[in-house]
Amino acid sequence: MPRALVRQSDGTFLLTRPDWNVKSAGGDEVVPPPDFVGETLQDIPFHRTRLGLVAAETAFFSLAGDSFNFWPQSATNITDEDPFGLTGTVEKVAKFRHAVPFRKSLFIMADGAQFEVSGTALTPLAAAIDPATGYTVDPRCRPVVIDNELYFAVSVGDEAGLYIYQ
């Protein structure tokens, strides 16, 4: 799991292992482990008070306001604060590579597809992941936000280019 860089009162920083919350409700059949368990993390964004862990075809978000808790508060009731995962909605497999906060959404780069995580609220029932574009991106290059534009590298064969998403 990721480490935390914590600023100390004297201005120095300490690299620590955060105290990750443990499951407090339900067994594995009712409350299975989050989708990122057993997968290689590709990116770790922070968006709208939630820590995101991006792995395989899923962006999984922590409990609202509790970055180190990826377990629901109840095994039977879904609340707006509960953690949740979103999977891309395209016909082919789209492995997520990068997640970048852009404007009011989270822009996710995948193999051959790009998505926007949006919604009036980032909650299990209100959040949505929608296809935005379908370019073949270079997975080695992280997208960059400059002002109100998102720049990302694309590649086709021996050709490369830079696209601007507005």
Side-chain angles (χ1 to χ4, degrees), residues 43-130:
D43 207 350
I44 305 173
F46 189 79
H47 187 61
R48 295 187 185 178
T49 76
R50 293 179 187 264
L51 181 67
L53 298 180
V54 176
E57 299 174 50
T58 303
F60 204 90
F61 298 93
S62 70
L63 188 81
D66 188 352
S67 298
F68 304 119
N69 190 347
F70 287 90
W71 299 104
Q73 300 172 68
S74 167
T76 57
N77 296 322
I78 297 173
T79 68
D80 286 346
E81 292 78 29
D82 278 344
F84 65 96
L86 294 173
T87 302
T89 54
V90 291
E91 293 177 11
K92 59 183 179 178
V93 173
K95 188 171 182 175
F96 292 174
R97 300 290 180 181
H98 303 287
V100 179
F102 179 60
R103 297 186 189 140
K104 293 181 180 181
S105 65
L106 185 68
F107 194 81
I108 297 179
M109 304 295 286
D111 294 337
Q114 293 74 49
F115 302 90
E116 279 195 46
V117 174
S118 59
T120 54
L122 190 60
T123 66
L125 299 177
I129 184 167
D130 298 310

Side-chain angles (χ1 to χ4, degrees), residues 3-17:
R3 305 283 196 255
L5 190 60
V6 180
R7 184 183 170 128
Q8 304 297 300
S9 59
D10 64 359
T12 62
F13 290 89
L14 179 65
L15 185 63
T16 66
R17 284 184 187 223

